Amino acid sequence: MVDISAQSVVKAFEEGNNILDGLSFEINEGERVGILGRNGAGKTTLFRLISGELEPDEGSVAVPSVKKLGLISQIPKYPPDFTAEDALRSGESRLRAIKARMETLERDMESGGGSLSEYDSLAFEFERLGGYDADFERNRVANGLFITDKLRSRLFSALSGGEMTRVNLARMILEKTDILLLDEPTNHLDMRAVEWLEEYMSKFRGTALVISHDRYFLDCVVTRIIEIEGGKAEFYSGNYTFYVAEKRRRLEELTTRYEREQAEAKRLRAAADRLRQWGTENRRLMHKAFAIEKRIDRVVTTQRPHVEKKLGARFGELDFRGDEIISAKSVTKAYDGAVLFKDVSFVVTKGQRIALIGDNGSGKSTLIKIIMGDERPDSGFCRMGPSVRAAYMPQRIVFANPRLSALDTLMDETGLTSQMARNRLGAFKFSGDDVFKPVGDLSGGEQSRLRLCSLMCGETNLLILDEPTNHLDVASREWVEDTLDSYEGALLFVSHDRYFIGKFAARVWELRDGLFTDFPGTFEEFTRNRREPRQQQPRERDVRVKTPKKSGAPTRNRAERLERAIADAEAELADLAREKETHATDYLRLVELGETESGLRARLNELYSLWFEVADADAEEK
């Protein structure tokens, strides 16, 4: 069944400038599709067309009327007194409606009326939608997306944009939406929340369209890519990694075909020129030359492939002389009595590449400021080596004079001449009139590129980056990565971009719950190391239900043993349900309990199968 159909869609916001220009595709029920394209390519416009917020200028977009569709960016209008908890509960409106009707039928049946068949049908639907576990499910989803109890009690209207987005995503999940439109869903999530969302998406049975610059998330979640380029759709039947390899293969194939056609066209033009020279007064030769020229039009069918311009600049590097780039001993920092981190100690040496990770609010940016000397620790010390020349790109980029143009800003910060500055800006994709834009009017991605451009003009042997890929589309992230690839100085960066972390980190620092972990390995090794200890530890609750052995014992005794084992297993499940309610806000404990419950349910099903076998055998004996 087709869930979304777009046929020859055209959409423009300025006359003669079509953002979407004949876009066509179909998405089947249950597909998880990534939507890629440069900033401004029309991705968000497409989502607004699918959701019905916009109408196409030409063509059509169709979604089955029976399907419930959710778009993260469409945040409902709530009453002024609505809390975040109220917003979450609004995702259970279907369950509340079913329950209200069931209660009405119960009262009617007590007085001799009502419909038992309708009640049974509603009860089945209520259970199918998880009505009996609604409180647990709401806590599980909110906890997975790090929507804390404190946040849930606040007025929804008082939340930040990122907090509203997280609550809205949780509401959509609780609504059991059939079609999810996820527009940058990981932007306001911590790494652990992103991992939770990936796990949820792996089990989601509906249809999902995802716009994301998080390449790792795309790899984990989507099974198909649609790229919007030039207002039209290009299709790739795999995840992001497949898309990258396949796009490169298609480009190489297109380039080879283009070069072959151009070589043939050149040969034919030369032949036509010779015939015209020889046959100035020979009509037959002139006619043949004309025929060859017509043939050139048929030979050349491939346009010159468009290859994105790569960053053409390198960091100015300064040789480091010494043993230690940065050293810290017993660094502790607290705010208003709450400890961000304590006893942080480390030594950074020449050329190391370190990722600093942790949840929002764990103190990553504060630790960076202490390293840079912008803040003082409450205790301990942190210092740089005497020959260290550090360059720092903060998460929130601020320019001294937002009214200055990009060109004047770069000249002012670096001392470059006008021509040198324009050349530098050109390497960072500031071309034409873009260099004269006031820096205050630049997008977040453009500001990041300008700041990076400025940093690269100076000589440095330590580069510190705080969320360097924020606001950048995939192409821009790849430009930054290409540049950093050749940097030989020490690199310390804060990031939630796991693709970026995996590419550069050879050492991982983690801040979690006030504790500092220094792991001497790659991000992949760090992640594996973090999982393995939990997998190796014995669970607090092991399922030890012995399988009755088939022997010559009387069938009745075997059935009784199985019934006792089943009763024990069901009691264990009841205990687990109570324990899950107790730990409803402890995500890690819920994951462990969920794993135990899965194993126990599988074992219970096995016991029931054995019991039925024994019961059948007993019936045959009788």
Side-chain angles (χ1 to χ4, degrees):
M1 177 180 178
V2 175
D3 264 359
I4 303 172
S5 173
Q7 300 299 326
S8 305
V9 173
V10 175
K11 186 65 183 178
F13 295 102
E14 297 177 5
E15 191 173 348
N17 183 19
N18 292 340
I19 292 179
L20 302 178
D21 191 14
L23 184 78
S24 296
F25 62 81
E26 288 186 344
I27 295 174
N28 295 319
E29 184 179 48
E31 281 196 292
R32 296 193 296 276
V33 181
I35 307 296
L36 296 185
R38 299 180 56 77
N39 288 343
K43 304 185 296 294
T44 300
T45 299
L46 173 62
F47 271 21
R48 294 171 69 190
L49 289 166
I50 293 171
S51 67
E53 185 181 342
L54 293 176
E55 290 291 332
D57 299 333
E58 297 178 26
S60 63
V61 178
V63 177
S65 58
V66 295
K67 293 295 181 81
K68 188 171 184 59
L69 185 145
L71 172 61
I72 286 182
S73 58
Q74 285 185 332
I75 297 177
K77 297 287 186 183
Y78 295 115
D81 60 344
F82 247 51
T83 64
E85 178 70 14
D86 294 327
L88 290 174
R89 288 177 180 271
S90 70
E92 301 162 1
S93 56
R94 290 166 72 186
L95 288 173
R96 288 204 305 274
I98 292 172
K99 188 174 183 181
R101 178 59 181 160
M102 288 171 64
E103 289 171 350
T104 300
L105 287 170
E106 286 171 2
R107 290 192 295 270
D108 291 345
M109 286 189 289
E110 285 174 0
S111 58
S115 168
L116 180 59
S117 61
E118 182 187 358
Y119 183 87
D120 287 344
S121 176
L122 288 171
F124 174 79
E125 183 68 4
F126 188 74
E127 183 175 8
R128 186 185 71 81
L129 293 174
Y132 297 107
D133 297 319
D135 291 341
F136 167 75
E137 181 67 6
R138 189 184 327 112
N139 289 334
R140 184 184 73 87
V141 173
N143 186 63
L145 294 173
F146 286 81
I147 302 170
T148 62
D149 291 342
K150 184 178 179 181
L151 191 154
R152 290 165 72 170
S153 66
R154 289 168 55 194
L155 287 175
F156 185 82
S157 59
L159 301 182
S160 68
E163 289 166 341
M164 285 184 178
T165 300
R166 277 191 286 149
V167 171
N168 195 43
L169 174 59
R171 178 192 62 80
M172 284 168 51
I173 290 172
L174 292 169
E175 275 186 340
K176 312 297 183 186
T177 307
D178 299 308
I179 302 173
L180 282 175
L181 303 181
L182 305 178
D183 192 347
E184 294 294 351
T186 64
N187 266 9
H188 302 287
L189 301 182
D190 294 328
M191 197 178 294
R192 281 191 286 176
V194 173
E195 290 171 352
W196 181 91
L197 182 59
E198 286 170 356
E199 185 176 349
Y200 170 80
M201 292 301 297
S202 71
K203 299 172 183 175
F204 179 61
R205 294 184 180 180
T207 303
L209 270 69
V210 183
I211 297 171
S212 181
H213 296 146
D214 187 332
R215 294 158 291 179
Y216 199 101
F217 182 78
L218 288 171
D219 257 353
C220 291
V221 170
V222 308
T223 55
R224 183 179 166 212
I225 296 284
I226 296 177
E227 182 178 32
I228 301 177
E229 194 167 11
K232 293 181 171 58
E234 288 286 333
F235 304 99
Y236 299 84
S237 55
N239 61 9
Y240 178 79
T241 297
F242 173 86
Y243 155 80
V244 171
E246 177 64 9
K247 185 168 184 177
R248 185 184 300 116
R249 187 196 67 77
R250 291 184 191 181
L251 178 61
E252 290 170 354
E253 184 180 276
L254 197 63
T255 302
T256 300
R257 189 190 315 152
Y258 172 78
E259 290 173 348
R260 187 169 59 243
E261 289 176 1
Q262 291 299 314
E264 178 65 6
K266 184 178 179 181
R267 187 185 69 80
L268 292 173
R269 286 193 192 97
D273 289 342
R274 284 196 302 271
L275 287 172
R276 274 197 298 271
Q277 291 170 5
W278 296 338
T280 305
E281 297 180 0
N282 187 322
R283 292 182 63 186
R284 188 175 64 82
L285 291 178
M286 292 298 288
H287 182 73
K288 194 170 183 180
F290 179 75
I292 289 174
E293 287 175 339
K294 294 290 285 183
R295 185 179 164 195
I296 292 173
D297 294 335
R298 295 194 299 272
V299 165
V300 179
T301 61
T302 305
Q303 292 185 344
R304 179 190 292 273
H306 175 68
V307 180
E308 286 291 340
K309 184 178 180 182
K310 292 187 177 292
L311 288 173
R314 288 173 54 92
F315 280 95
E317 294 181 26
L318 184 69
D319 190 31
F320 174 71
R321 301 182 184 279
D323 297 325
E324 298 177 357
I325 296 269
I326 316 169
S327 60
K329 182 71 173 176
S330 303
V331 171
T332 298
K333 187 67 178 179
Y335 284 110
D336 299 325
V339 177
L340 272 180
F341 46 78
K342 60 182 178 180
D343 297 328
V344 174
S345 299
F346 55 78
V347 173
V348 179
T349 56
K350 178 179 178 180
Q352 289 190 321
R353 295 184 166 194
I354 305 166
L356 173 56
I357 64 174
D359 295 340
N360 292 337
S362 61
K364 302 185 299 297
S365 294
T366 300
L367 180 57
I368 292 294
K369 290 176 182 176
I370 289 173
I371 291 171
M372 290 297 300
D374 295 334
E375 286 199 24
R376 294 178 61 83
D378 297 336
S379 62
F381 70 86
C382 182
R383 59 175 175 243
M384 290 187 187
S387 63
V388 172
R389 182 76 63 83
Y392 172 47
M393 187 168 115
Q395 183 175 350
R396 186 171 177 269
I397 295 170
V398 178
F399 293 98
N401 188 346
R403 291 188 297 275
L404 279 182
S405 69
L407 178 62
D408 290 335
T409 298
L410 185 61
M411 291 169 61
D412 188 54
E413 291 183 352
T414 63
L416 293 175
T417 65
S418 176
Q419 188 57 52
M420 291 172 66
R422 290 202 68 160
N423 292 342
R424 273 277 179 173
L425 289 169
F428 280 77
K429 294 191 72 68
F430 289 96
S431 57
D433 291 339
D434 290 345
V435 302
F436 301 116
K437 280 185 183 178
V439 293
D441 293 343
L442 298 178
S443 68
E446 288 171 330
Q447 289 184 347
S448 296
R449 278 192 279 135
L450 180 58
R451 173 59 72 223
L452 193 60
C453 179
S454 179
L455 289 180
M456 291 177 68
C457 291
E459 291 186 329
T460 174
N461 47 35
L462 170 63
L463 186 60
I464 300 178
L465 308 175
D466 194 348
E467 296 289 359
T469 59
N470 267 12
H471 311 297
L472 298 181
D473 59 22
V474 171
S476 297
R477 292 179 187 212
E478 290 172 348
W479 299 334
V480 172
E481 290 165 0
D482 288 344
T483 304
L484 291 175
D485 259 339
S486 61
Y487 182 66
E488 295 180 357
L491 175 64
L492 170 61
F493 60 93
V494 176
S495 184
H496 289 128
D497 185 342
R498 290 165 297 167
Y499 198 97
F500 184 88
I501 298 170
K503 186 165 185 174
F504 289 105
R507 181 178 176 184
V508 179
W509 292 349
E510 183 186 39
L511 285 172
R512 180 183 287 200
D513 300 328
L515 300 178
F516 176 77
T517 301
D518 187 350
F519 182 81
T522 65
F523 181 63
E524 182 182 354
E525 292 167 339
F526 168 80
T527 305
R528 188 165 57 243
N529 185 73
R530 188 172 62 182
R531 287 198 192 106
E532 285 174 353
R534 277 182 48 208
Q535 291 172 350
Q536 292 166 1
Q537 289 172 358
R539 292 175 184 161
E540 292 182 24
R541 181 191 304 276
D542 286 327
V543 182
R544 292 190 179 89
V545 183
K546 294 183 180 179
T547 305
K549 296 179 181 178
K550 292 186 178 181
S551 64
T555 304
R556 185 65 241 162
N557 290 342
R558 289 169 57 198
E560 288 174 356
R561 286 199 301 272
L562 282 166
E563 287 165 2
R564 285 195 298 271
I566 288 170
D568 289 343
E570 288 175 338
E572 290 275 356
L573 279 173
D575 290 343
L576 271 176
R578 286 189 289 272
E579 193 166 354
K580 284 165 72 176
E581 290 179 5
T582 303
H583 297 282
T585 58
D586 185 344
Y587 173 66
L588 294 177
R589 183 65 181 137
L590 284 175
V591 170
E592 293 173 358
L593 291 172
E595 291 172 352
T596 303
E597 183 181 27
S598 296
L600 185 57
R601 287 193 183 280
R603 188 73 186 113
L604 187 59
N605 289 337
E606 182 184 347
L607 287 170
Y608 272 121
S609 296
L610 289 170
W611 186 86
F612 282 123
E613 288 178 12
V614 171
D616 289 343
D618 187 32
E620 288 177 6
E621 288 175 7
K622 290 179 180 179

